Amino acid sequence: MGKQNVPEIFGSNVFDDRVMRARLSADVYASLRKTIDENVKLDEDVAEAVASEMRDWAVEKGATHFTHWFQPLTGVTAEKHDSFISPSPDGGVIMEFSGKELIKGEPDASSFPSGGLRATFEARGYTAWDPTSYAFIKDHTLCIPTAFCSYSGDALDKKTPLLRSMQALNRQAKRILKLFGNDAKYVRTSVGPEQEYFLVDVNEFNKRPDLVYTGRTLFGAMPPKGQELDDHYFGVIKPRVTEFMEDLNDELWKLGILAKTEHNEVAPAQHELAPIFSTTNVATDSNQLMMEIMQKVARRHGMVCLLHEKPFAGVNGSGKHNNWSMATNDGTNLLSPGETPYENAQFLLFLCAVIQAVDDYQDLLRLSVATAGNDHRLGANEAPPAIISVFLGDELSGILDAIKNDKPYQGVEKEVMKLGVHCLPRFSRDTTDRNRTSPFAFTGNKFEFRSLGSSNSIACCNIMLNASVAESLKQYADRLEGAENFEDELHALIKEVITKHERILFNGNGYSDEWVKEATEVRGLLNLKTTADAMPYLLKEKNVKMLTEHKVFTETELESRCEIMLENYCKTVNIEGHTMVDMVRKNYLPAIEQYLQRLAKTTSLMKSVSSNVKCNYEISTMERLSELTDYILLRVEDLEKALEELKECDDVVKTSEAIRDDVIPKMEHLRKHVDEAEMLTSEESWPFPSYGKLLFSVY
C-alpha cells in the first residue's frame, strides 16, 4: 500500500458525488442527479450553479486552468487548456468559469481524424459536458469529461457512440424487465478492464529507435531465458516495481480510479493492474487515465511503460480483459444466475441475449479489437483465437442443453474441496472452471471479453457489445410483449435461441488446430485473422442496419470509422516498415560490416603469426555473416520497394490488403536474417540493447 491514508486521498482530486452533495444547493444537486441517473435534459441554470462551485473547488485545490477532456478517434485523449483568469477593472484578474464554458467547448477539429466526415478547412468542432462522468484535477487543470462532435453534429469521438449504445441497451433491457414485473429506473452496463503492461529501463528504451517510434521491438533475438520457467507469473514483485506500483496507486486513487489488484504477469518485465467494476463510460474514462498515468509515473521512476500488444517477440504480449455485466439501478446484476439458475427465467433470457448477440455480431466484436498491434497476439497461443466463441462452463451448458432437449435438468451439486491437510479450510468448488483460451467467457456473474489489446480503448468493444445485446433484447421484447401466454412463449423463445445459436458455444481448447478447423469448416464461424480482414465487416448491411436503427451510429459515422481504422492500421505498419529500413541501413549493416572487418583483421594477424592457425571460428562466422549481409540487403531493398508501391494506391482497403499480404511478410523475412546476425555478432559490436537487457532491465 502507498505511503498515504487511502480513505483520505481516494477521490480527493475528483468533483464527485460527495463534493457535489456538500457544495451544491439541495435543488441543484437533485436536478443534476436526475440528469445523471435518468438521462434527463440538463437545466442551464443548474449548469451555471455547478460551474461556479466547480471553479471554486478547483481553485482551492490549486487549479489554474480548465479543459474539456475528450477521446477523439486517435485512440488517446485530447485536451486544450484555458485559464480561469479574466481581467478586472483595477488591472488585476478574477477567476471565472461559466455554465456555458462548462457545457460547451470549441476546439479546432481540423487535425483530428474524421474519415471524410468533414473537409480539412471545416475546423469547428464542439465538446459537450458528460455529467455522468465526474470532473477531476490533473496537473493543476480541471478536466471536464466531454463528448466531441463536428459542426454538422457527427460524432468524432469514442464517448458519444458509447453513451448511445448504453442508452439503447437501457431502453430494451427495461422492456424485458417490465415483462417480469420489474419497473427498473435504468439498466447500466459495467466494466472492470484488467490492464497488462511492460516496464523497461528508460536508458535502454532510449537506445532502441523501434521502441521509441513504434512501441515495439522490430528486431531482437531471444535471450537464453524468457518465460519458460513460469517463475515471473505471480512472483515476488521486485523493489523498483513495487515503488512504481505504490506511486501509481496513489495517483489513481486520488482520481477516484478503483485500482484493486496488481501482480507480475507471465513474461519477464510484464505486469497487470485490475480495477473494481464501474459504469461503462466511467470505466472507459478511467482506463484512458490509467494508461496515461502509468506512463507518467513510470518515467518518474526511470522506467518506460510499454502498452503495445506485442513489444517483444517470443514472449507473451499484453491484453486487456473486459469484464462486462448489466445491472439495474438497485444494483441487481442481471447476469447473476442465483443459487438455482435453471429456475431463473429472467437470468436465462438475458444470458440468451448475450449468446445470440455474440453469434449474430461476432464480426463486430472481432473488428472492435482489431489493430495492427493486436494482430500479433490473437491466435498466437498466448491470447484467444481470432475466432469468437462463448464459454459457459459445465453447469450453464447442462441447463441450456436440458432446455433445448425438453429434459429435466439434473443439478450439479457443489463439491467440497478436501486438500488432505487438517489445518487447511474446506471450501466449495465452483460449478464452472475458467477457460483462458476462450475469447468470451462467462465467469460467474459477468462475461470476460479477453480479445482486447493492451493499448485499445475499451469504448469500441463495449459499443458493439451493448448494441448487439440491445438488438437481441429488442427482438425478445417485440415477441413477448404480444404473447397470449407469456410463460409458454418465454420457454419457446429460450429453446429456439439455444438451438439456433449453439454453434457459438465452445468449452474446449481455443488454442488447438482442431478447434480452428471445426469452427470454420463445421460451425461456419468467422476467422478474421487481421485488421485488414476484419474492418470491412463494419459496413456489412446487417451491421449498418442494427447500429443505425439503435441510433448508435449514423451510416456516415460508420463509413468514417472503417476508413479511420484501416488508415491507422496502414500508417502504423508503414511507420514500422520505414523504421526497419532506417535501422538496417544506418545501424545494423554498418555494425555487421565493422565486426566482419574486425574478424578479418584478427584472422589475418593470426595467420601471419603461424600458418598452422586454422581460425575456424573467425572464418565460419565471417562466411555466415557475409551471407547474411547479402540476404539482409536484398530483403531491405524488397521492403523499400513494397513501401514505395503503397504510395501509388489511394484505396485504403487495397492498401491494407497489400500491407497484410506483401509488406508484413517482407518485414518478418528481414527480421529473421537480422536476428540471426545478432546471435553471431559480439555484444559490444551490436548497435542496440538486446532482449536480455530490455526484459531484465528493471531488476
Side-chain angles (χ1 to χ4, degrees):
M1 192 173 75
K3 300 178 181 66
Q4 304 188 55
N5 185 304
V6 177
E8 285 183 10
I9 69 168
F10 188 83
S12 58
N13 287 340
V14 185
F15 195 76
D16 59 17
D17 193 71
R18 297 171 300 176
V19 178
M20 292 191 293
R21 196 164 53 241
R23 302 188 73 116
L24 301 176
S25 70
D27 290 344
V28 169
Y29 173 76
S31 178
L32 182 59
R33 282 274 22 134
K34 200 170 181 67
T35 296
I36 294 170
D37 294 337
E38 301 178 34
N39 204 25
V40 174
K41 185 178 179 181
L42 181 72
D43 185 281
E44 289 186 12
D45 291 337
V46 169
E48 196 67 46
V50 172
S52 177
E53 290 298 334
M54 194 181 283
R55 175 205 61 210
D56 291 348
W57 170 81
V59 171
E60 289 168 14
K61 290 280 186 179
T64 57
H65 290 68
F66 70 91
T67 182
H68 276 198
W69 184 78
F70 58 101
Q71 299 169 40
L73 298 173
T74 55
V76 294
T77 57
E79 48 195 68
K80 174 175 73 77
H81 297 191
D82 290 298
S83 70
F84 288 119
I85 66 169
S86 290
S88 63
D90 61 1
V93 294
I94 56 175
M95 306 297 268
E96 289 189 340
F97 181 55
S98 67
K100 183 179 179 182
E101 289 172 310
L102 170 62
I103 290 173
K104 188 183 82 170
E106 294 187 22
D108 185 340
S110 61
S111 295
F112 289 109
S114 71
L117 283 175
R118 47 154 185 74
T120 302
F121 62 83
E122 295 173 339
R124 190 183 295 274
Y126 296 114
T127 48
W129 177 35
D130 171 19
T132 65
S133 187
Y134 298 133
F136 57 91
I137 294 173
K138 176 170 66 77
D139 299 330
H140 305 293
T141 300
L142 173 65
C143 298
I144 302 156
T146 56
F148 178 46
C149 67
S150 69
Y151 180 72
S152 58
D154 293 307
L156 294 175
D157 67 342
K158 295 178 182 291
K159 168 160 281 197
T160 304
L162 179 61
L163 291 171
R164 291 172 182 169
S165 73
M166 293 172 65
Q167 189 169 279
L169 187 139
N170 172 59
R171 187 184 306 117
Q172 302 306 329
K174 286 198 299 183
R175 290 176 66 194
I176 294 295
L177 289 174
K178 192 172 183 179
L179 292 168
F180 286 93
N182 185 343
D183 288 318
K185 287 184 179 179
Y186 57 80
V187 173
R188 286 184 180 155
T189 55
S190 60
V191 173
E194 304 167 28
Q195 179 71 55
E196 295 176 347
Y197 60 97
F198 280 81
L199 290 174
V200 298
D201 186 270
V202 67
N203 296 317
E204 303 298 335
F205 171 88
N206 287 333
K207 296 173 186 174
R208 294 282 312 213
D210 46 1
L211 280 177
V212 172
Y213 294 142
T214 74
R216 77 179 181 103
T217 52
L218 301 172
F219 301 98
M222 277 298 293
K225 181 180 186 293
Q227 63 188 50
E228 299 88 348
L229 296 178
D230 301 319
D231 54 341
H232 190 255
Y233 189 55
F234 278 25
V236 175
I237 301 172
K238 299 298 188 289
R240 190 176 177 187
V241 177
T242 296
E243 291 173 4
F244 157 80
M245 288 180 171
E246 288 180 349
D247 197 1
L248 175 63
N249 284 332
D250 285 347
E251 294 294 331
L252 295 176
W253 288 334
K254 288 175 187 176
L255 290 169
I257 296 172
L258 296 160
K260 176 72 172 177
T261 304
E262 57 196 24
H263 61 83
N264 291 347
E265 256 298 334
V266 174
Q270 189 184 32
H271 310 277
E272 180 178 297
L273 176 60
I276 298 172
F277 281 66
S278 53
T279 307
T280 302
N281 66 308
V282 175
T284 302
D285 288 355
S286 295
N287 186 252
Q288 291 294 137
L289 266 177
M290 181 186 288
M291 291 190 288
E292 176 190 333
I293 293 167
M294 277 178 167
Q295 293 171 313
K296 187 181 298 182
V297 173
R299 288 279 183 171
R300 213 184 286 164
H301 289 264
M303 298 182 288
V304 174
C305 175
L306 301 178
L307 293 171
H308 193 284
E309 286 73 22
K310 193 71 173 179
F312 302 101
V315 299
N316 278 16
S318 295
K320 181 148 51 189
H321 301 172
N322 189 81
N323 294 283
W324 180 92
S325 62
M326 298 176 278
T328 61
N329 54 284
D330 65 0
T332 301
N333 185 342
L334 299 177
L335 291 178
S336 179
E339 290 297 317
T340 54
Y342 55 91
E343 296 175 351
N344 190 341
Q346 179 179 289
F347 159 74
L348 290 173
L349 190 60
F350 277 98
L351 178 68
C352 283
V354 178
I355 292 169
Q356 178 177 335
V358 176
D359 190 17
D360 286 345
Y361 298 102
Q362 55 187 279
D363 48 359
L364 288 180
L365 291 177
R366 170 63 185 92
L367 66 86
S368 74
V369 299
T371 63
N374 211 20
D375 285 355
H376 295 287
R377 282 180 65 246
L378 298 182
N381 285 6
E382 63 183 73
I387 302 164
I388 302 295
S389 64
V390 176
F391 168 84
L392 292 181
D394 294 339
E395 182 177 26
L396 289 183
S397 296
I399 291 169
L400 297 189
D401 189 63
I403 293 171
K404 172 192 164 188
N405 295 303
D406 285 324
K407 293 180 179 178
Y409 173 65
Q410 302 297 324
V412 177
E413 292 187 12
K414 287 191 176 180
E415 180 182 337
V416 175
M417 299 291 285
K418 301 175 184 178
L419 302 180
V421 180
H422 295 306
C423 65
L424 295 179
R426 295 186 179 188
F427 56 90
S428 296
R429 187 176 72 174
D430 292 325
T431 55
T432 181
D433 198 358
R434 287 179 178 265
N435 188 334
R436 308 306 293 177
T437 72
S438 174
F440 202 87
F442 187 75
T443 55
N445 60 1
K446 63 187 184 298
F447 277 98
E448 184 180 23
F449 188 24
R450 301 181 62 249
S451 300
L452 281 77
S454 53
S455 66
N456 286 172
S457 164
I458 67 170
C460 300
C461 74
N462 285 295
I463 290 168
M464 299 311 179
L465 188 50
N466 291 344
S468 55
V469 172
E471 173 60 22
S472 297
L473 294 173
K474 178 183 181 298
Q475 293 178 21
Y476 301 169
D478 288 345
R479 177 170 170 178
L480 293 172
E481 284 172 348
E484 292 183 10
N485 187 311
F486 175 73
E487 296 293 337
D488 289 348
E489 194 66 30
L490 176 63
H491 178 79
L493 173 60
I494 292 175
K495 180 178 178 180
E496 286 176 25
V497 172
I498 296 166
T499 304
K500 183 177 180 181
H501 298 285
E502 65 179 341
R503 68 171 186 164
I504 203 73
L505 303 177
F506 179 64
N507 288 347
N509 181 7
Y511 291 169
S512 69
D513 294 335
E514 292 78 10
W515 165 237
V516 174
K517 185 174 182 180
E518 178 187 336
T520 55
E521 296 179 14
V522 179
R523 301 193 184 202
L525 300 179
L526 295 170
N527 187 12
L528 306 175
K529 296 181 179 180
T530 71
T531 301
D533 297 319
M535 282 312 302
Y537 278 79
L538 183 60
L539 301 182
K540 293 288 184 182
E541 184 179 354
K542 74 175 180 68
N543 296 333
V544 173
K545 183 174 185 291
M546 184 273 286
L547 291 166
T548 55
E549 285 185 352
H550 285 281
K551 296 182 170 55
V552 175
F553 291 105
T554 65
E555 191 164 349
T556 52
E557 287 171 348
L558 287 172
E559 290 168 353
S560 74
R561 277 153 179 79
C562 183
E563 183 172 331
I564 288 168
M565 296 306 294
L566 283 174
E567 276 186 353
N568 183 273
Y569 170 77
C570 295
K571 289 175 180 177
T572 298
V573 180
N574 196 46
I575 291 169
E576 291 179 348
H578 282 290
T579 300
M580 291 186 86
V581 170
D582 193 66
M583 291 174 73
V584 167
R585 288 205 175 275
K586 292 180 180 178
N587 303 104
Y588 284 124
L589 284 176
I592 297 169
E593 181 184 38
Q594 287 178 8
Y595 186 59
L596 282 169
Q597 290 175 0
R598 179 177 153 191
L599 288 174
K601 288 179 181 178
T602 300
T603 303
S604 178
L605 180 62
M606 291 172 68
K607 284 194 174 285
S608 69
V609 172
S610 172
S611 59
N612 294 325
V613 176
K614 294 183 178 180
C615 299
N616 290 336
Y617 160 70
E618 289 82 2
I619 292 171
S620 63
T621 302
M622 280 192 293
E623 287 176 347
R624 184 54 184 161
L625 279 176
S626 180
E627 280 184 322
L628 285 172
T629 54
D630 292 339
Y631 293 150
I632 290 168
L633 180 61
L634 287 172
R635 297 289 80 82
V636 79
E637 288 174 345
D638 285 347
L639 179 56
E640 285 174 312
K641 182 180 178 183
L643 292 170
E644 192 64 29
E645 288 173 353
L646 292 179
K647 297 177 182 178
E648 301 172 8
C649 183
D650 57 4
D651 183 303
V652 70
V653 174
K654 290 181 180 177
T655 301
S656 69
E657 291 171 349
I659 283 174
R660 176 195 64 197
D661 299 334
D662 188 33
V663 174
I664 290 177
K666 286 178 177 173
M667 289 169 61
E668 292 172 348
H669 206 170
L670 173 59
R671 174 176 186 152
K672 178 183 176 183
H673 294 315
V674 173
D675 288 356
E676 183 182 348
E678 180 182 354
M679 298 300 293
L680 296 172
T681 307
S682 71
E683 184 176 12
E684 64 180 1
S685 299
W686 202 244
F688 304 116
S690 66
Y691 263 28
K693 285 187 176 180
L694 288 166
L695 287 169
F696 298 94
S697 63
V698 298
Y699 303 127

